[in-house]
Amino acid sequence: MEEAKIDPYIGFSFDRNAVKTEIANVSAVGEEYKGLGVGLYEDVESTYAEMAEKRRKAGYYIIREEIERQFKEWQNNQ
């Protein structure tokens, strides 16, 4: 009989406080382009590129780096 594997990442919890402004800004960009996934734009490629650039400027990569930093710190303390 096979046994289920336990996910080694259970227990990690991201603290959003350091990037709460960036999260709000990126979320606002997402709201602005929420019709992108349902065919409300004719030129999807350029609209997606425009959205991606706005997300970058809003702090998407800052959020990502903070998640990675916290995750690495959590792993090192396990």
Side-chain angles (χ1 to χ4, degrees):
M1 183 169 166
E2 293 184 37
E3 292 184 24
K5 294 182 181 178
I6 296 174
D7 187 339
Y9 307 124
I10 289 178
F12 172 71
S13 180
F14 175 58
D15 180 1
R16 300 167 182 258
N17 287 325
V19 289
K20 61 185 174 184
T21 300
E22 288 83 359
I23 291 171
N25 292 341
V26 170
S27 293
V29 172
E31 279 297 310
E32 182 180 346
Y33 290 92
K34 66 183 175 183
L36 187 60
V38 292
L40 297 181
Y41 295 93
E42 287 185 24
D43 187 358
V44 174
E45 287 184 29
S46 66
T47 304
Y48 181 82
E50 179 181 292
M51 179 192 69
E53 179 62 17
K54 284 186 177 182
R55 285 175 45 141
R56 184 191 65 76
K57 288 180 179 178
Y60 175 82
Y61 289 102
I62 294 169
I63 298 166
R64 187 171 156 177
E65 288 171 7
E66 181 63 17
I67 293 169
E68 289 173 0
R69 184 194 68 75
Q70 288 184 28
F71 184 73
K72 286 177 185 175
E73 183 178 300
W74 177 80
Q75 278 185 311
N76 290 335
N77 291 320
Q78 293 303 305

